[in-house]
Amino acid sequence: MAIRYELIKTCKQSGARLGRLHTPHGVIETPIFMPVGTQATVKAMTPEELKDMNAQIILSNTYHLYLRPGHKLIEKAGGLHKFMNWDRPILTDSGGFQVFSLGPLRKIREEGVEFRSHLDGSKHFISPEIAVEIQNSLGSDIMMAFDECAPYPADYDYVKNSLERTTRWAKRCKDAHKNTDQQALFGIIQGGMYKDLRKQSAEEIIGLDFPGYSVGGLSVGEPKDIMYDVLEYTTPLMPKDKPRYLMGVGSPDDLIEGVIRGIDMFDCVLPSRIGRNGTAMTSRGKVVIKNASHTESFEPLDTECGCYTCKNYSKAYLRHLFKANEILGLRLLTNHNLHFLLNLMEEVRQAIREDRLLDYRKDFFEKYGYNL
Ligand SMILES: CC(C)(C)OC(=O)NCc1c[nH]c2nc(N)[nH]c(=O)c12
Ligand SMILES: [Zn+2]
């Protein structure tokens, strides 16, 4: 068995769960946030820095690594863990989403998707079988089925046809997946914002029996309350004894609201992306470091944060680095933001242990400046 999920506790105040996900590269405490390392690197971070902030698992991407440097090269290098010097778990996304959002001039057929590389415009084709083959070469601990993430908004018939093709593709991924004891293949539930289609997709995908499932097609621009509503409806349809992964979600409020609705795993580029652009997430809300108000602020970003950045540098220094376009600035803010979300998830796990997650949400939202 490539992975084993251990449900440790269900929160008394909400649908939140405490779990442990055992993988060939280590145990993951859930709920968990997964830093995104699309091109075999979590941008601006070394593996040691990621370990220092207790990152337990990172994401990488089939579509990007297939296009560059190529999955065969990574296989020759001994697989993705060795290639990027990361010996903890790796989850690879299947590229489905990226083909639909990144690859210009794409053409969707039953067989698979034709698209042009966003790098050089060259023509490519990915099918469920090829997506599985690429992830086998990469050697990730968790692989994702090849799916279509329906755009938002999208009309009912489009979403229904799309989810039914995604189910057929999921079956083909499962049939193509051979080394089931080394790599776990997760199914992806689609269905847009339509509750009956979410139910249909959940039943079809769960009916194929995977070791874990993700909820795809959310956080695609829909209002937050619609996302929360779809989650509220979908997670109870998912098996309790298997991990539930909400793809592409990672702002502090969405993480807490997702955990409350029974999600165990999250990924999002947000913390690293806004960090590189000079925005920090802190316990008192966002800080835009280039703002003139920080020019003579000689205290850290967040007095409650124990990260390397907050222990050693002031806002005045960070502002200087960003004004001077210094690379260290990107690194320090990325470090802080990833640490902030990973620490948030540790606090969430502790709140579940103590059955006080809703109280935790209330306190966090008040301090961060969210309105409940
Ligand atoms: C726009 C952002 C990226 C924030 O969210 C989404 O697109 N959310 C959906 C999403 C993210 N990653 C996925 N991978 C796959 N295979 N399928 C998906 O639906 C998704
Ligand atoms: Zn910090």
Side-chain angles (χ1 to χ4, degrees), residues 180-212:
T180 53
D181 53 339
Q182 273 108 30
Q183 295 181 273
L185 177 66
F186 277 21
I188 303 179
I189 296 167
Q190 292 287 351
M193 310 306 152
Y194 301 101
K195 288 189 179 173
D196 59 328
L197 296 185
R198 280 283 168 186
K199 184 168 190 299
Q200 180 186 344
S201 181
E203 284 168 354
E204 291 178 0
I205 297 293
I206 293 164
L208 290 172
D209 186 25
F210 290 100

Side-chain angles (χ1 to χ4, degrees), residues 59 61 93-98 101 144-150 188-190 198 214-222 245-250 267-269 273:
L59 229 80
N61 193 281
D93 195 355
S94 57
F97 157 68
Q98 288 71 24
S101 63
M144 297 311 293
F146 189 69
D147 65 323
E148 179 187 1
C149 166
I188 303 179
I189 296 167
Q190 292 287 351
R198 280 283 168 186
S214 78
V215 180
L218 288 179
S219 185
V220 285
E222 75 281 7
Y245 164 25
L246 176 55
M247 306 183 90
V249 170
D267 88 271
C268 189
V269 295
R273 182 173 295 169

